[in-house]
Amino acid sequence: MARLALLSVSNKTGIIDLARSLVEEFNFDLISSGGTARAIKDAGLPVTKVADYTGSPEILGGRVKTLHPRIHGGILARRDVPEDITDLENNQIRPIDLVVVNLYPFEETIAKPGVTLSQAVEQIDIGGPAMLRASSKNFAHLAVLCDPVQYDEYLQELRQNNGEASLEFRQKAALKGFSHTASYDQAIASYLAGTQDYTLSGTQLQSLRYGENPHQPAAWYQTGTTPTGWAAATKLQGKELSYNNLVDLEAARRIITEFIDTPAATIIKHTNPCGTALGSTISEAYQKAFNADSTSAFGGIVALNRPIDAATASELTKTFLECVVAPSYDAEAQEILAKKSNVRVLTLADLSSGPKDTVKAIAGGFLVQASDDVIADTSQWQVVTERQPIASELAELLFAWKVCKHVKSNAIVVTSDRTTLGVGAGQMNRVGSVKIALEQAGEKAKGATLASDGFFPFDDSVRTAAAAGITAIVQPGGSLRDKDSIKAANELGLLMVLTGIRHFLH
């Protein structure tokens, strides 16, 4: 008797090619439900509808299709238990050798604006998870596939093992099935719970060589059922990504997201920008960012927000870099970068999409906060000094403020010509960060702009900045001593703007 495969998928990517191989190459019979059955039939392949196989029609508007003993008996039967085989025979149930299931797009549905609770509830799959769990439980006797990327691997298993999938493959596929249902249930629970509960789970993409240090084991996990963010990136060349690479890449992505309308480049070291700049071209933006601190750029992580051309690629190869990420690369750029084979080169088409929350583990639990994705609005800023900004000064203040948001606090950033000149990061007092940033900027601080992620508790930072040649300052304000800093700025002829928003980054 031919083997039996059950195909019931929401995401139909690759399903027809799989079905054709199962029928024509491996002599499977197919049963299927709903739209999957129609798609297979329209492709000219033989398929039996689940309702015809079970003898029970789909009911409740399709809510009940596969929840039937002829389906779950065929999935759960143990081939090495005589009583199970007898039950199958007495109930005219065929054993099922392959289950191919993926689930209703619940996460995609709730991500759409204006989705109602009733609309979301209708996208909660019931039969799919039941089949996934049942077939994953019985991996000793059948295979389960829940992701189109598994289809080719499964067919190769059949070709290499006389038409059988190995136990090792079936167990690995079962794990993926359970992970898939766990992530799916987590998304539903989180949606229904709102802010009452917070659950976190993921599917391991790969083990990493180590974490921040060689003695720390680490792994990379994907959240959700659909790859997004770095899980959706493509690595064109280079070694495997490390834990520190991924942490720095995310820091680079967050900065580059601030600049949508203008070519921008940032170079990251230890999650802080050592150089960030805007330019008329992406090549110019990168050169400005590199020249901002060429010493620290060595071994850096580079993110660029425009496709990479040959000119930019040539600049990128002039120093050692760990990683480069951009939306795309032209053919000549890829050829140039390939000469630096150790550089990890990635494409990420959507650099702007990031997590809605940030999570940090603490002893006995974890902390969750909304991501700091507020968009700077200069119309809400308050000019508090006698000197008023002209348009070019306001644009420079905005650039400095956007970069400063992504520097570890206490954070100070000095800029000019939409380029960072000095960055003071992570110091225990603000004046210490000011001195570091100004020392790095050197003579270029004359006529430059300074941004601070938090208010100035005293006027000493303002006076230090003015002595170095700074002419404009942007800061949140909110100190009891704001009047002292404003008075010093007026006395020294500085421009000062208060944003009313703090950007601490711990």
Side-chain angles (χ1 to χ4, degrees):
M1 181 182 292
R3 287 173 292 175
L4 186 61
L6 169 60
L7 281 59
S8 180
V9 294
S10 175
N11 177 5
K12 295 177 177 56
T13 302
I15 196 65
I16 300 304
D17 290 338
L18 174 65
R20 181 170 286 109
S21 294
L22 292 174
V23 171
E24 297 178 356
E25 192 175 349
F26 298 104
N27 195 35
F28 272 81
D29 288 339
L30 306 181
I31 57 175
S32 188
S33 63
T36 309
R38 287 192 296 273
I40 294 172
K41 183 178 180 181
D42 290 345
L45 296 169
V47 61
T48 300
K49 291 183 179 179
V50 165
D52 294 333
Y53 175 73
T54 62
S56 297
E58 294 184 10
I59 62 173
L60 307 182
R63 280 190 167 198
V64 178
K65 296 189 285 284
T66 57
L67 296 170
H68 193 280
R70 292 202 77 192
I71 298 298
H72 286 273
I75 291 173
L76 286 165
R78 295 159 292 186
R79 317 298 166 81
D80 56 354
V81 175
E83 292 82 0
D84 284 9
I85 302 303
T86 299
D87 283 341
L88 294 183
E89 293 171 350
N90 290 340
N91 291 279
Q92 297 181 316
I93 298 173
R94 290 177 62 179
I96 296 175
D97 297 278
L98 172 66
V99 174
V100 184
V101 176
N102 54 58
L103 309 178
Y104 293 169
F106 180 82
E107 290 176 281
E108 291 86 342
T109 298
I110 62 174
K112 296 175 182 177
V115 170
T116 65
L117 176 62
S118 61
Q119 290 171 327
V121 166
E122 284 308 308
Q123 291 301 314
I124 297 176
D125 204 328
I126 301 300
M131 288 188 291
L132 270 181
R133 288 179 59 81
S135 48
S136 296
K137 174 178 179 175
N138 206 28
F139 69 85
H141 302 285
L142 76 159
V144 57
L145 309 177
C146 63
D147 188 332
V149 301
Q150 297 173 291
Y151 298 170
D152 284 342
E153 187 179 359
Y154 174 74
L155 293 173
Q156 287 301 318
E157 281 279 319
L158 299 187
R159 291 171 186 136
Q160 294 169 6
N161 297 297
N162 297 317
E164 299 289 339
S166 66
L167 178 61
E168 180 183 9
F169 173 85
R170 299 198 306 270
Q171 184 170 346
K172 182 175 71 172
L175 173 60
K176 190 174 181 71
F178 281 123
S179 297
H180 190 47
T181 57
S183 295
Y184 193 76
D185 286 342
Q186 178 221 331
I188 296 168
S190 296
Y191 173 75
L192 294 177
T195 59
Q196 298 176 37
D197 296 296
Y198 193 95
T199 55
L200 183 66
S201 68
T203 302
Q204 184 172 316
L205 291 179
Q206 66 183 75
S207 295
L208 302 173
R209 286 184 62 196
Y210 51 80
E212 288 179 305
N213 299 289
H215 62 276
Q216 295 174 266
W220 177 11
Y221 290 83
Q222 170 191 316
T223 56
T225 56
T226 303
T228 58
W230 297 109
T234 300
K235 183 163 70 69
L236 301 180
Q237 68 176 59
K239 298 180 289 186
E240 291 298 324
L241 293 168
S242 71
Y243 179 97
N244 289 335
N245 288 158
L246 288 161
V247 171
D248 283 337
L249 281 166
E250 177 62 8
R253 185 199 64 76
R254 288 174 179 167
I255 289 185
I256 215 71
T257 297
E258 296 284 349
F259 309 105
I260 299 173
D261 300 327
T262 307
T266 189
I267 306 172
I268 296 293
K269 289 291 287 290
H270 306 293
T271 73
N272 284 306
C274 56
T276 301
L278 308 184
S280 58
T281 66
I282 196 64
S283 179
E284 180 190 17
Y286 171 71
Q287 289 178 65
K288 289 170 67 177
F290 176 80
N291 291 333
D293 186 356
S294 58
T295 300
S296 297
F298 184 85
I301 305 287
V302 177
L304 309 107
N305 69 348
R306 293 291 188 274
I308 303 308
D309 54 17
T312 311
S314 295
E315 291 298 323
L316 290 165
T317 60
K318 290 181 179 179
T319 191
F320 169 65
L321 299 171
E322 283 279 352
C323 303
V324 176
V325 63
S328 63
Y329 306 77
D330 67 27
E332 191 174 358
Q334 289 188 49
E335 185 177 342
I336 292 168
L337 290 168
K339 296 174 183 176
K340 295 279 190 176
S341 58
N342 286 333
V343 179
R344 301 162 177 89
V345 177
L346 297 94
T347 60
L348 182 57
D350 183 8
L351 284 161
S352 63
S353 294
K356 295 179 180 178
D357 302 316
T358 59
V359 182
K360 289 189 177 183
I362 61 172
F366 55 88
L367 306 175
V368 181
Q369 66 172 352
S371 294
D372 186 5
D373 55 7
V374 63
I375 297 173
D377 182 0
T378 57
S379 69
Q380 301 300 311
W381 290 5
Q382 181 184 8
V383 181
V384 292
T385 49
E386 296 167 2
R387 190 159 80 78
Q388 299 292 302
I390 60 175
S392 60
E393 287 178 315
L394 192 60
E396 190 69 43
L397 288 163
L398 179 60
F399 171 77
W401 181 244
K402 286 183 173 182
V403 176
C404 193
K405 171 182 175 181
H406 300 280
V407 177
K408 292 286 187 180
S409 58
N410 288 315
I412 297 293
V413 173
V414 175
T415 76
S416 181
D417 188 28
R418 315 302 188 275
T419 305
T420 56
L421 303 177
V423 177
Q427 297 306 299
M428 285 63 72
N429 63 78
R430 192 159 300 278
V431 72
S433 290
V434 170
K435 290 177 179 178
I436 291 171
L438 292 173
E439 181 180 354
Q440 188 179 26
E443 289 298 311
K444 293 180 180 179
K446 289 183 171 59
T449 293
L450 182 146
S452 172
D453 66 341
F455 62 63
F456 296 118
F458 305 101
D459 67 1
D460 49 0
S461 290
V462 176
R463 295 185 181 281
T464 300
I470 294 295
T471 59
I473 293 175
V474 57
Q475 55 125 332
S479 170
L480 293 174
R481 294 176 177 268
D482 274 348
K483 63 180 183 301
D484 294 341
S485 294
I486 295 168
K487 179 181 178 182
N490 280 323
E491 175 188 324
L492 298 165
L494 271 62
L495 163 67
M496 182 179 287
V497 173
L498 305 185
T499 66
I501 293 177
R502 190 183 72 187
H503 285 305
F504 279 179
L505 179 60
H506 287 92

